[in-house]
Amino acid sequence: MATVSCVKTKDFEMDYCKFGHGERIFAIIPGLSVQSVMSAATAIEDSYKTISDQFTTYVFDRRKEVPEDYSIEDMARDTAKAMKELGLKDTYLFGASQGGMISMVIAMEYPELVKKLALGSTSSQIHPEQRKVIDKWISLAEAGDKEGLYQEFGKEIYPPAVYEQFKDYFSEVSKTVTDAELKKFIILAKSIPKFNVTDGLKKINCPVLALGVYEDSVLDADATMEIAQELDERPDFKLYMYIGYGHAAFDTAPDYKQRVLDFYLEGE
């Protein structure tokens, strides 16, 4: 059963959840969210139940208290510290969206922590035209419009049919958002437009799988293709593009987790 724990370093505390009992270590860094994903630990475990015999899985939150100016590079270094504190190395790392940005930095700066890297709906740099959705979320959060933020968030990351299915749920859960959570969301979201590690992608020395979505309305398909352009000459790089599943294809595409698992286990 998934257990939520807190790893403490001398600089910060970070929640994580852990489940499974396999010998391999699978580490997940989720994307930006209005509220912590730790409340969904059981649901996350259930979605990965098919790999529980092969992997012990760790899902990392962001640190509890975040400074006012907190870059994605800072997030990566803090997550790496947490991983080291837990004694992890040679992980099979999966990062989604902002979590993918964090994961790229970890793979560049802490190669001993990453054996294979899977990236979902993410970007190595943010171009001006890719900021529109992020900027809209920030504006809603700064205005204190919790329901508006949740609705726009759901509308942008999910396909229309999925969004309509959960529209009422988003309204209800938005009532539980605290002012502290909004403030943290704003700080985390503001780090995204400043991110650019494209020139460092070739420093990643482990196998990489990039999964993108052609109709990604948050970062667009070009974000994934830009990563591919930097890495596609490498024999250990793979690219797969989805159609019809939205930015959050990592949650909505039925074969997504199996595709990641096949990449991790290939040649082993």
Side-chain angles (χ1 to χ4, degrees), residues 240-259:
Y240 187 83
M241 297 296 294
Y242 280 95
I243 300 174
Y245 290 103
H247 177 75
F250 38 84
D251 288 335
T252 58
D255 66 337
Y256 201 102
K257 293 174 179 63
Q258 187 61 50
R259 194 174 292 280

Side-chain angles (χ1 to χ4, degrees), residues 68-221:
E68 286 291 335
D69 186 17
Y70 191 46
S71 70
I72 286 172
E73 287 82 358
D74 293 332
M75 297 176 208
R77 288 160 196 149
D78 286 344
T79 306
K81 285 178 189 174
M83 294 170 76
K84 290 180 178 182
E85 190 71 25
L86 293 168
L88 305 185
K89 61 180 181 178
D90 291 330
T91 66
Y92 297 79
L93 183 61
F94 172 64
S97 197
Q98 186 186 63
M101 300 174 191
I102 294 168
S103 297
M104 283 184 270
V105 177
I106 292 175
M108 291 174 200
E109 297 190 3
Y110 306 92
E112 73 280 5
L113 295 179
V114 188
K115 186 168 185 178
K116 290 187 178 182
L117 175 64
L119 302 168
S121 300
T122 194
S123 180
S124 60
Q125 68 173 307
I126 305 300
H127 297 285
E129 63 273 17
Q130 294 167 329
R131 292 185 49 159
K132 294 175 185 175
V133 171
I134 309 293
D135 286 344
K136 187 195 300 182
W137 291 345
I138 292 169
S139 295
L140 288 165
E142 288 180 331
D145 186 354
K146 299 170 184 178
E147 181 171 4
L149 174 59
Y150 244 110
Q151 293 294 349
E152 283 298 322
F153 198 84
K155 194 182 295 182
E156 297 292 358
I157 72 170
Y158 293 118
V162 176
Y163 167 68
E164 288 298 327
Q165 183 183 348
F166 289 99
K167 193 174 180 180
D168 292 341
Y169 167 77
F170 294 142
S171 289
E172 286 303 308
V173 77
S174 70
K175 297 172 185 175
T176 69
V177 178
T178 66
D179 290 343
E181 286 172 330
L182 275 188
K183 183 180 179 183
K184 185 173 183 178
F185 175 85
I186 292 165
I187 291 170
L188 296 176
K190 282 185 173 180
S191 70
I192 294 174
K194 304 171 187 175
F195 184 66
N196 186 349
V197 294
T198 300
D199 290 345
L201 285 174
K202 289 183 169 64
K203 295 178 186 175
I204 298 174
N205 59 18
C206 65
V208 179
L209 167 66
L211 301 114
V213 186
Y214 278 116
E215 75 290 356
D216 185 336
S217 63
V218 179
L219 295 174
D220 77 36

Side-chain angles (χ1 to χ4, degrees), residues 37-52:
V37 301
M38 291 297 111
S39 61
T42 301
I44 297 171
E45 177 188 25
D46 188 58
S47 71
Y48 285 99
K49 60 188 176 184
T50 57
I51 69 169
S52 61

